[in-house]
Amino acid sequence: MVVINSAELARKFPQLPSNDVDRLVNQFSRFDIDGRGQIDQKDLVKVIQEIGEGQSYDQIRSTIKAVHINATGKVEVDEFLEIIAKLREGSTAAPKSGGRILVQGANQNTTHSMNDDERSQFTAHINSVLAGDPHIGDRIPIPTHTMQVFDECRDGLLLCKLINDSVPDTIDERVLNIKNKLSNFQIIENNNVAINSAKAIGCSVVNIGPQDIMDGREHLILGLIWQIIKAGLLSKIDIRLHPELYRLLEEDESLEAFLRLPPEQILLRWFNYHLRAAGWHRTVSNFSADVKDAENYTVLMNQLAPDLCSRAPLQERDLHTRAELVLQNAEKLNCRKYLSPQSLVAGNPKLNLAFVANLFNHHPGLDPVEEVERPELPDVENDREARVFTLWLNSLDVDPFVNNLYTDLTDGLVLLQAFDKMHPGIVDWKRVSRRQPINRFKQVENTNYAIMIGQHLRYTLVNMQGSDIVDGSPMLTLGIVWQMMRENVTQTMKKLSKSGRDITDMEMVRWANEAVQRGGKTSKIASFKDPQFKTGVFVCDVLNGIRPGSIDYSVLTRGTNVEDATMNIKYAISVARKIGAVIFVLPEDIIECRPKLILTFIGSLMAIDTAGRG
């Protein structure tokens, strides 16, 4: 039990009356359950609210951020009194201006702004989808008018739960640290799972680390929350889930060309399909200026549900009143979500995109496709590899973000950026055409240059020309990107190894077998095609070898059937992400023994192990 000297503290904080110091020390001790003279930082706002200081959540939170608290996340009594003293001097919440909130960056001289409506609407989304969760349901509802959502994200659990809501089964929740009192190490593990799983569903999280989430960096967390919500909303805009999207093909458009459209473009086409069917004279080409007067929304919802949603809002001249009437129509469709009248009229592109996607997901309004009309979809064989390679390119922070591997590399810029990030200075940017739009001749020049760099790096690119990439050839595009990704995986290990030489496939296989032996297990593989991978036990044994205790063998099975094997591999992938590995593969990639994708998994684990032992 730590003894607290109230008299000494009264001298240190003369601005606080001595009898008040006694009272505050007693209150502090009441919340110091362990008697160590500390309380958790995450409980601090609640503690100050309970002792009746009278300030708002955001005022208290803002004051806490202004006080240096040690890296353990534990608040000692003198820090507690310093916060109380600053609160009584007068503290304000984060300033707002024009619907935006200004927040402090990583240092005192940096500020960032974020949209207040987005914070409020995304918090409301979290409340709606995570209510009743067995692990964090007691945190819900989170007030939508405060910054509390960022504090609730600090331990990683809420973000992990949100990811699983958006893209089910991404995270095996058996790996999460869920008890009430988590150590900093356990919180970092949860945040590793959240960040690396977000990458695996297509989020760009290049500048976000576990510590940023622990520190409650508002603008970074809000951006991550948006990407997670967006991934879930857009994942359902898929012709495999909605064959009726076939109705949106334009005259003479091939199914292959339609499948290459990003979900946002398909949503706009869906929107315009219904506006045209309604005989309306306008179209939409964005989720901002074209919808902010609410006219197009009025016509869309009337077309989707004429018995419930009238066109009466068109008669209203005041834009905010009209927006409210439109949202009342949305409520009749159980789709009043993401938008407020203010954000609708402001033309907020994120919130309008979310609103339209949610509307489509609940009321597509397209005639079912008869069996004879049902389109024959292309083989998904290459889709698996294309998905992994796309995620890898995006993890390098290329611009623009890659949605479709075959259409978004055609001007060569993404390939050249990737080469330059892997080998800084290898690209002579004076040779590259970057001003948009880039005509075909310049595209071929750029892609020929990318192939030339690949040849310089000794890639196998026989008979490949820039025009093959410009034309979106699946086989050749996959070929060059795979060689880039493989080099990136082995390059990391090369830098970490003492020898500094290239790593071969068989050396990676030997390393994996040695890692298993280190952990006292006996499973073994001969190559990345080895059927031993199918059960999931081998990859778990590798993880056990590089991080003893990371695998709870009581939750594993022998993996003799697909269902059991899937559970084993899903668990292994989440454990790998928990220890910091960036894993893009899906369980089925390993069950089907896809050697290229298995190599990326083992390579990521080898890099983590080499770095840890280096």
Side-chain angles (χ1 to χ4, degrees):
M1 175 73 72
V2 174
V3 178
I4 299 174
N5 189 327
S6 296
E8 185 178 325
L9 289 169
R11 286 193 295 273
K12 187 174 181 179
F13 296 99
Q15 65 270 50
L16 298 174
S18 57
N19 63 332
D20 216 9
V21 171
D22 287 335
R23 182 182 67 85
L24 291 168
V25 166
N26 287 333
Q27 294 280 16
F28 180 89
S29 298
R30 185 162 65 89
F31 291 99
D32 175 20
I33 299 171
D34 299 329
R36 296 180 179 178
Q38 298 174 327
I39 57 177
D40 286 337
Q41 182 180 347
K42 68 183 183 66
D43 298 329
L44 197 49
V45 176
K46 180 182 176 183
V47 169
I48 294 173
Q49 285 179 323
E50 286 195 18
I51 66 175
E53 285 298 306
Q55 289 86 357
S56 70
Y57 185 99
D58 286 353
Q59 285 175 316
I60 298 170
R61 185 179 188 276
S62 182
T63 304
I64 293 170
K65 289 184 71 175
V67 174
H68 176 72
I69 295 173
N70 64 58
T72 65
K74 304 293 184 182
V75 180
E76 298 184 352
V77 68
D78 54 343
E79 294 166 335
F80 175 71
L81 292 177
E82 182 183 353
I83 291 166
I84 297 296
K86 285 184 177 294
L87 274 170
R88 292 183 181 179
E89 288 170 6
S91 177
T92 59
K96 295 183 182 181
S97 176
R100 301 195 70 79
I101 307 172
L102 300 178
V103 295
Q104 185 181 315
N107 57 63
Q108 293 286 345
N109 301 319
T110 308
T111 58
H112 301 276
S113 71
M114 59 184 188
N115 186 282
D116 193 25
D117 250 338
E118 290 173 9
R119 178 197 53 73
S120 176
Q121 294 297 331
F122 297 160
T123 304
H125 170 88
I126 289 168
N127 288 338
S128 69
V129 300
L130 298 184
D133 182 89
H135 302 130
I136 63 168
D138 58 340
R139 305 185 193 181
I140 307 295
I142 301 167
T144 59
H145 61 284
T146 74
M147 307 281 265
Q148 186 174 335
V149 65
F150 304 113
D151 296 329
E152 299 295 351
C153 288
R154 288 177 189 261
D155 66 5
L157 280 176
L158 187 147
L159 291 172
C160 289
K161 296 286 187 173
L162 187 62
I163 288 169
N164 266 359
D165 174 75
S166 287
V167 184
D169 295 326
T170 299
I171 297 170
D172 188 325
E173 295 189 4
R174 293 177 293 181
V175 311
L176 298 178
N177 301 311
I178 57 175
K179 61 185 182 182
N180 287 332
K181 297 290 183 181
L182 298 178
S183 67
N184 277 4
F185 178 74
Q186 290 172 319
I187 292 173
I188 287 172
E189 286 187 326
N190 283 350
N191 285 330
N192 277 338
V193 175
I195 290 169
N196 292 324
S197 299
K199 290 178 182 178
I201 63 171
C203 299
S204 175
V205 287
V206 176
N207 296 315
I208 308 174
Q211 193 63 47
D212 294 312
I213 299 174
M214 286 178 69
D215 291 343
R217 298 276 177 219
E218 299 90 348
H219 67 291
L220 295 176
I221 294 173
L222 188 69
L224 180 56
I225 288 172
W226 160 238
Q227 290 190 78
I228 294 168
I229 293 173
K230 178 184 174 185
L233 288 168
L234 299 188
S235 67
K236 301 176 181 67
I237 303 165
D238 185 334
I239 200 166
R240 292 180 177 86
L241 300 175
H242 291 281
E244 64 271 22
L245 283 170
Y246 182 65
R247 305 282 181 207
L248 303 184
L249 265 69
E250 295 177 345
E251 189 174 353
D252 298 326
E253 181 180 31
S254 69
L255 178 61
E256 182 183 19
F258 179 79
L259 289 173
R260 291 183 175 187
L261 292 174
E264 294 91 335
Q265 290 299 314
I266 294 176
L267 269 183
L268 289 172
R269 189 177 288 193
W270 169 78
F271 202 145
N272 287 321
Y273 175 90
H274 285 298
L275 293 181
R276 188 165 54 250
W280 187 238
H281 64 284
R282 293 178 58 186
T283 58
V284 294
S285 60
N286 56 65
F287 296 100
S288 183
D290 289 352
V291 294
K292 63 194 297 185
D293 66 4
E295 286 188 358
N296 289 322
Y297 278 146
T298 301
V299 175
L300 173 63
M301 283 187 272
N302 173 250
Q303 180 67 17
L304 292 173
D307 294 339
L308 293 174
C309 305
S310 76
R311 293 195 183 189
L314 295 176
Q315 309 307 314
E316 175 57 55
R317 300 184 63 180
D318 180 80
L319 289 181
H320 283 87
T321 305
R322 183 191 300 162
E324 172 57 31
L325 293 173
V326 164
L327 294 179
Q328 288 176 14
N329 274 344
E331 193 164 14
K332 295 172 185 175
L333 300 175
N334 292 319
C335 289
R336 182 165 186 162
K337 196 173 182 183
Y338 303 115
L339 276 180
S340 66
Q342 293 76 20
S343 53
L344 195 163
V345 173
N348 184 298
K350 293 177 183 175
L351 297 177
N352 277 293
L353 170 60
F355 178 80
V356 175
N358 186 56
L359 198 57
F360 168 83
N361 288 334
H362 288 86
H363 300 278
L366 298 171
D367 292 335
V369 176
E370 300 295 331
E371 195 61 40
V372 292
E373 300 177 281
R374 190 175 290 268
E376 185 174 341
L377 297 175
D379 189 5
V380 298
E381 186 71 14
N382 287 335
D383 284 3
R384 299 268 188 80
E385 292 184 358
R387 171 193 165 275
V388 170
F389 300 164
T390 297
L391 292 170
W392 169 73
L393 283 170
N394 287 329
S395 76
L396 298 179
D397 197 24
V398 294
D399 183 28
F401 193 81
V402 180
N403 288 295
N404 185 289
L405 193 71
Y406 309 125
T407 58
D408 295 349
L409 308 190
T410 55
D411 63 11
L413 294 181
V414 166
L415 290 174
L416 291 168
Q417 287 177 64
F419 275 129
D420 207 41
K421 288 175 185 293
M422 293 164 60
H423 300 278
I426 199 171
V427 177
D428 178 2
W429 288 103
K430 293 179 181 177
R431 293 186 53 176
V432 181
S433 298
R434 289 191 273 182
R435 181 176 294 180
Q436 300 290 342
I438 303 175
N439 63 39
R440 180 179 173 86
F441 178 76
K442 295 294 184 182
Q443 288 180 333
V444 171
E445 279 190 341
N446 286 351
T447 48
N448 275 333
Y449 184 33
I451 290 172
M452 189 184 82
I453 292 173
Q455 290 169 336
H456 171 73
L457 295 170
R458 299 185 178 181
Y459 289 7
T460 302
L461 302 171
V462 180
N463 298 324
M464 186 175 184
Q465 299 178 345
S467 57
D468 296 318
I469 299 173
V470 175
D471 293 337
S473 165
M475 183 176 71
L476 297 176
T477 302
L478 287 170
I480 187 170
V481 179
W482 158 241
Q483 292 181 76
M484 294 173 75
M485 185 177 182
R486 189 199 180 284
E487 188 202 3
N488 184 237
V489 170
T490 57
Q491 187 184 54
T492 301
M493 293 180 288
K494 179 180 176 181
K495 289 177 181 176
L496 293 169
S497 70
K498 293 177 181 177
S499 65
R501 60 181 177 77
D502 289 333
I503 307 294
T504 66
D505 288 10
M506 285 313 298
E507 284 175 313
M508 294 169 69
V509 168
R510 278 198 296 274
W511 167 84
N513 287 329
E514 288 166 4
V516 170
Q517 291 174 354
R518 255 188 276 156
K521 301 297 180 180
T522 58
S523 61
K524 191 174 182 179
I525 57 163
S527 72
F528 291 123
K529 297 179 181 178
D530 198 310
Q532 280 279 4
F533 280 108
K534 292 186 176 186
T535 67
V537 173
F538 180 79
V539 286
C540 287
D541 287 346
V542 173
L543 285 159
N544 175 68
I546 66 175
R547 286 290 190 278
S550 62
I551 296 293
D552 178 1
Y553 279 92
S554 70
V555 305
L556 296 183
T557 65
R558 295 173 63 188
T560 51
N561 59 58
V562 172
E563 183 179 351
D564 285 351
T566 299
M567 292 301 292
N568 286 349
I569 297 169
K570 180 182 165 188
Y571 178 71
I573 289 171
S574 289
V575 170
R577 291 171 180 157
K578 183 177 183 176
I579 66 173
V582 179
I583 306 295
F584 297 124
V585 300
L586 297 171
E588 48 265 43
D589 297 325
I590 297 177
I591 288 173
E592 295 170 12
C593 282
R594 301 176 69 83
K596 290 179 181 178
L597 303 187
I598 290 174
L599 182 150
T600 67
F601 189 177
I602 296 299
S604 295
L605 298 185
M606 186 175 178
I608 288 285
D609 183 49
T610 307
R613 301 169 73 197

